[in-house]
Amino acid sequence: MRRRRRIKPFMAVRYALLILGLVVTVIPMFYMVISSLKSNKSTFSYPPQLFPNPHEITLENYVYIFRHVSFLKYLGNTLFTALMTVLLSAVISSVLAYSFARFKFPGKSLFYGMIISVMLIPGLAMIIPQFEMAVRFGMVNHLWGVILFYSAWVTPFSTFLLKGYIEDNIPRELDEAIYMDGGSIYSVYLFVIMPMASPAIAAISILNYLFPFEELGWSQTILKSDEIRTLPVAITMFFQAHNRTDWGYVFAMTSLSMVPVVLFYLALQKYFISGLSSGSIKG
């Protein structure tokens, strides 16, 4: 007879902690989605019901936000901001990472240290000088005023990750092969660095794509017009526009705002996992 495997105490504790972390993470999201399917009156019921009765489920909150809140307009602004932030940060950080990983030039360590040190400074700590820059360059109340600053915020961390990935996983012999065939540093970047670093770029793109969906301080400061507000600002203004908080509407907007993030992650999931696993093995 086969012996039954005994779960070691350490493994049992680890699994218990993992399950606890999963529950703590999932339950608030589950409660939010369920509450968005209930009427506002049911949302305020006490004690709260995690599993409502089937007859209480309704789509009135979603109908309201599509008819009265211009949700699609806010979603479009957020999607445009997120995609432009992903594109700009991917190009800038990949060029910087390629330069720091492959070339030697005066002040290299100093410049790299300056870029990395920016990660230690919270973005909102620089909100006053940033706002003065936005006013000077005419970017107040423009989506590009949000996009450019978001790209600047996420570029240092993206550069840090990409530099390590290039050094550990892309052999220099591939660069030399391009040079021997008459290629230039631009050819190496386009035909070696970008294709082979695509898993790492996908990984940072997922993180950078999420940023405009959750950042509020800067976007609320610089976006004044209702026509260009992003979802975090729109949800905040929804609180201020009503005498009381209609949580059903808020939960419906928040639940729908998660859909583009989940779809983007699912589209790049393969590359995201590949980037994480490849990054742990030195080439």
Side-chain angles (χ1 to χ4, degrees):
M1 295 179 64
R2 294 183 178 178
R3 294 182 178 179
R4 294 183 179 179
R5 279 196 193 170
R6 293 184 178 180
I7 300 178
K8 298 180 181 179
F10 175 76
M11 294 291 293
V13 172
R14 184 166 66 175
Y15 280 115
L17 292 175
L18 289 174
I19 294 174
L20 178 62
L22 178 64
V23 170
V24 171
T25 303
V26 171
I27 282 185
M29 299 177 60
F30 178 78
Y31 180 76
M32 177 184 66
V33 175
I34 291 298
S35 298
S36 70
L37 297 173
K38 298 191 298 184
S39 63
N40 283 290
K41 182 178 179 181
S42 300
T43 304
F44 288 99
S45 62
Y46 184 84
Q49 294 181 350
L50 191 60
F51 299 97
N53 296 323
H55 69 273
E56 294 182 346
I57 295 178
T58 177
L59 295 177
E60 65 178 25
N61 296 319
Y62 292 92
V63 173
Y64 179 87
I65 64 173
F66 278 112
R67 288 183 177 178
H68 303 286
V69 185
S70 303
F71 175 80
L72 293 178
K73 176 179 64 179
Y74 302 136
L75 177 62
N77 294 336
T78 310
L79 287 173
F80 177 75
T81 302
L83 292 175
M84 290 297 101
T85 300
V86 167
L87 180 62
L88 285 177
S89 60
V91 172
I92 296 173
S93 60
S94 61
V95 170
L96 289 174
Y98 171 49
S99 302
F100 287 121
R102 287 296 196 254
F103 304 111
K104 295 181 179 179
F105 50 87
K108 172 182 174 180
S109 299
L110 176 62
F111 292 144
Y112 183 67
M114 292 174 62
I115 292 176
I116 298 303
S117 64
V118 176
M119 293 192 302
L120 305 176
I121 306 174
L124 290 180
M126 300 181 292
I127 192 170
I128 295 178
Q130 288 174 347
F131 185 76
E132 291 180 352
M133 290 178 59
V135 172
R136 183 178 296 273
F137 291 102
M139 292 186 293
V140 176
N141 208 29
H142 289 280
L143 279 178
W144 282 103
V146 176
I147 294 169
L148 294 177
F149 282 96
Y150 282 175
S151 302
W153 289 2
V154 301
T155 292
F157 183 67
S158 302
T159 303
F160 172 75
L161 290 183
L162 285 178
K163 176 179 178 294
Y165 185 92
I166 293 172
E167 291 177 338
D168 295 342
N169 296 277
I170 303 180
R172 289 180 178 269
E173 288 78 7
L174 297 177
D175 301 14
E176 297 172 359
I178 296 292
Y179 294 142
M180 291 180 63
D181 290 338
S184 62
I185 59 175
Y186 307 105
S187 302
V188 173
Y189 172 75
L190 291 175
F191 300 112
V192 175
I193 301 298
M194 289 297 288
M196 296 196 67
S198 58
I201 295 175
I204 64 172
S205 294
I206 291 176
L207 301 176
N208 296 341
Y209 181 84
L210 178 63
F211 193 76
F213 283 87
E214 61 182 6
E215 199 280 329
L216 175 63
W218 176 248
S219 56
Q220 191 175 22
T221 301
I222 199 172
L223 300 179
K224 304 299 182 182
S225 174
D226 182 68
E227 295 295 323
I228 59 172
R229 283 175 182 154
T230 55
L231 277 174
V233 181
I235 294 174
T236 303
M237 298 303 295
F238 185 83
F239 280 102
Q240 300 175 3
H242 294 73
N243 295 328
R244 63 185 179 88
T245 302
D246 296 320
W247 287 107
Y249 303 147
V250 174
F251 288 150
M253 292 181 66
T254 310
S255 299
L256 285 178
S257 68
M258 294 192 306
V259 174
V261 178
V262 173
L263 293 178
F264 189 79
Y265 171 76
L266 292 177
L268 298 181
Q269 180 184 17
K270 176 177 64 175
Y271 305 100
F272 182 71
I273 297 175
S274 173
L276 291 181
S277 59
S278 300
S280 62
I281 303 174
K282 289 190 176 183

